[in-house]
Amino acid sequence: MVEIREVKTSRDVKEFIRLPLRMYKKCPYFVPPLYSDERKLVSTGGSRDIAESVFYLALRDSKVVGRIQGIIQKQYNDSHGVTQARFTRFDSIDDAEVACALFSAVEEWAGSHGMTEVCGPLGYNDLDREGLLVEGFEEDSTFEEQYNFEYYGALVEGAGYSKDVDWLEYELKMPERRNEMLTRVAKRTLELNRLHVVDPSKFSKKEYIEKYRDGFFDCLDECYSHLYGTVKISKAAQDELIGQFMLLINKEYLVFICDENDRVVAFGLCFPGIGGALKGSGGRLTPVTLLKLLRLVAKPETIDLGLVAVRPEYQNSGVNAVIVNDLLDVLEKGKVKRCETNLNLETNTAVQAQWKHFSARQHKRRRSYIKKNGG
C-alpha cells in the first residue's frame, strides 16, 4: 500500500531533497541541483506572490519511494486565461501504483483550487528545470536540466497524461569548414543597424551584470512571452535568480548587443558546463566540489546555451548571425570543445536552423505532458 504525505516538517524536506540523490547515486549521467537552493525552495514553497505550490512524498512500508511538486502559476494563468496546474520534481521507483498515487494527490490538490488541467514537468518560470527526458538516456545531463530514468515516461503516461510539446537538444562542435560569409554578415549587421557588442573586459562581473540586468530581463520578457509555459519574471525572482547563478556566470560567455543608446536589443547567455564538478557531490558545495566548480567556470571545456533572445524589430536583420558568429569564435579558439543547446521547442525551426553552421548532433528530447483534471 502506498501512503501519500504532504511535506510539512524539516525531516520531510530532507527526505524530499534526498530521494533523487539516493536513486541516482550510481547513475553517471545525473547532475544534481545545488542542495542549498533546493532546501530553500522546498522549505519556503517558492514564489508565493505569483504561485501556490505543494510537495508530496510517497511511502511504502515507511520508506520514501516517490515525490512530486504541484504548482499553480497564478501569473501564467491570469495572463493566458487558463486554469492550469503544473507538476515538477517528479521522481519514483519503477512502480505504477506509486506514480499514480503521486499524480492523484497533485490532481486532487489542483482540483480543490479550481484547476481543470495539469501539465509538466514545468517550474515557476522558464529558467527552472523543465521537461521529462524521453530520448538521450546515455547522454550527460547539464546542470540546467534534470535527468530521469527511461521508465519515467511510461509512468507518466500510465497516470493518464499525453504529450503536450517536445523540446530538442543539440550538441554543437566546430565545423570542419567555417562559413566565412556568416562573419561578413555579422559585421555588416552591426554596421547597418548601428549596434555594438558590449566589451565585457571593461567591467567586473558584478558591474557587467548590474549595468545590463534590466535590459536583459526586459528583452527576455519581450522575446519569450509567447513561448510555451513562460511567464514574466518578477523583480524578486530576478534578484533570486541572479543570486543563484552569480557564481556560475563567466562574463566572457554572456553577450549583450546594444543600440546607440546602450539599450539591450539581443543577448546570448551561456553557462560554463559545470556538471562534471557536481556529479557525486549530492549538490553540496564542499571545499573540493567548490574548487572543481570554480576551475570549470574559469576554464570550461563545455558551455551550455542558456538563453538567446533578439527583440522582434531586429529578428530579420541578421542579429542572430552576430550571436552565432560569436559562439563560433569561442569554439575556434579551441579551449571550449563543445556546446549544449539545452531546450529548443520542436516547433521553433528558426532557432534550430542556426545550428547548421556547426557540426550539430540532436541527442536529447524532452517532453511536457498534459491531462484534463478528472479526465
Side-chain angles (χ1 to χ4, degrees):
M1 182 176 176
V2 178
E3 173 196 352
I4 298 297
R5 184 170 77 205
E6 185 176 349
V7 172
K8 293 288 189 181
T9 67
S10 58
R11 180 179 178 181
D12 291 339
V13 171
K14 290 179 181 178
E15 291 285 359
F16 190 92
I17 299 171
R18 288 174 178 173
L19 176 64
L21 302 180
R22 291 200 303 269
M23 290 179 61
Y24 294 95
K25 187 174 182 179
K26 296 182 180 180
C27 178
Y29 313 112
F30 173 75
V31 175
L34 294 180
Y35 191 96
S36 58
D37 289 345
E38 288 294 284
R39 184 174 180 82
K40 179 180 178 181
L41 185 145
V42 179
S43 298
T44 62
S47 307
R48 296 183 184 276
D49 57 329
I50 60 169
E52 297 285 344
S53 61
V54 68
F55 302 84
Y56 291 113
L57 293 170
L59 297 91
R60 178 181 282 151
D61 300 326
S62 301
K63 180 181 178 181
V64 176
V65 291
R67 70 170 196 169
I68 199 168
Q69 179 188 1
I71 297 173
I72 298 173
Q73 224 305 346
K74 295 180 287 188
Q75 184 182 6
Y76 180 85
N77 287 355
D78 290 345
S79 62
H80 289 77
V82 296
T83 50
Q84 183 183 87
R86 302 176 172 192
F87 74 86
T88 187
R89 289 174 172 80
F90 166 66
D91 286 290
S92 172
I93 62 172
D94 190 4
D95 188 302
E97 183 185 15
V98 172
C100 286
L102 286 165
F103 282 109
S104 292
V106 168
E107 290 158 15
E108 183 177 346
W109 170 79
S112 70
H113 287 76
M115 300 297 105
T116 58
E117 60 185 16
V118 180
C119 65
L122 289 171
Y124 292 98
N125 57 57
D126 195 47
L127 297 181
D128 288 344
R129 295 180 173 202
E130 56 189 5
L132 193 83
L133 189 67
V134 295
E135 292 177 11
F137 300 102
E138 294 183 354
E139 301 284 347
D140 282 338
S141 182
T142 65
F143 171 72
E144 297 82 18
E145 302 302 338
Q146 186 71 19
Y147 182 84
N148 58 261
F149 290 129
E150 190 169 357
Y151 65 78
Y152 275 42
L155 293 181
V156 175
E157 291 170 12
Y161 289 77
S162 57
K163 173 186 170 179
D164 199 11
V165 300
D166 277 5
W167 294 274
L168 305 179
E169 298 182 53
Y170 294 80
E171 177 192 65
L172 308 179
K173 293 183 178 180
M174 191 67 190
E176 290 185 8
R177 180 178 297 178
R178 184 168 178 175
N179 184 351
E180 296 302 330
M181 177 65 75
L182 183 71
T183 303
R184 293 193 289 272
V185 170
K187 181 179 179 181
R188 188 61 175 156
T189 295
L190 293 174
E191 293 172 350
L192 287 175
N193 292 280
R194 298 180 180 179
L195 303 175
H196 64 276
V197 178
V198 178
D199 181 359
S201 66
K202 296 180 178 180
F203 309 91
S204 69
K205 180 164 71 172
K206 183 177 180 181
E207 290 170 342
Y208 190 46
I209 292 172
E210 283 301 314
K211 181 173 178 61
Y212 293 102
R213 59 165 286 170
D214 290 343
F216 167 83
F217 283 110
D218 182 61
C219 184
L220 176 67
D221 288 337
E222 182 177 7
C223 297
Y224 278 63
S225 61
H226 65 289
L227 296 181
Y228 180 84
T230 59
V231 295
K232 186 173 182 178
I233 300 174
S234 68
K235 182 65 164 59
Q238 291 177 18
D239 293 339
E240 188 171 341
L241 287 166
I242 288 174
Q244 288 176 351
F245 285 101
M246 179 65 79
L247 181 65
L248 311 180
I249 291 175
N250 181 324
K251 63 181 181 177
E252 299 301 320
Y253 308 119
L254 174 53
V255 178
F256 292 117
I257 301 173
C258 297
D259 64 15
E260 294 175 296
N261 298 314
D262 219 24
R263 171 178 176 255
V264 176
V265 302
F267 67 80
L269 169 60
C270 300
F271 295 105
I274 62 168
L278 293 175
K279 286 183 178 180
S281 70
R284 294 183 183 275
L285 290 180
T286 64
V288 173
T289 300
L290 183 59
L291 181 60
K292 291 179 180 178
L293 187 151
L294 291 175
R295 284 174 176 169
L296 285 178
V297 168
K299 296 180 179 180
E301 290 192 359
T302 300
I303 57 174
D304 302 337
L305 278 60
L307 296 166
V308 176
V310 179
R311 291 190 189 270
E313 64 265 35
Y314 290 96
Q315 286 178 1
N316 295 315
S317 68
V319 171
N320 280 65
V322 179
I323 298 173
V324 170
N325 194 62
D326 191 82
L327 192 56
L328 284 165
D329 285 343
V330 170
L331 288 172
E332 193 169 44
K333 291 176 183 177
K335 294 180 181 178
V336 174
K337 307 298 183 185
R338 57 196 286 271
C339 303
E340 288 272 354
T341 67
N342 283 323
L343 277 62
N344 297 173
L345 275 170
E346 63 179 345
T347 55
N348 197 339
T349 55
V351 168
Q352 294 170 53
Q354 297 176 120
W355 312 143
K356 68 183 179 183
H357 297 289
F358 302 83
S359 175
R361 178 172 69 100
Q362 192 263 304
H363 62 326
K364 301 178 199 171
R365 179 184 294 265
R366 296 181 187 274
R367 181 163 297 166
S368 179
Y369 293 86
I370 193 164
K371 179 183 179 181
K372 295 297 181 182
N373 207 13

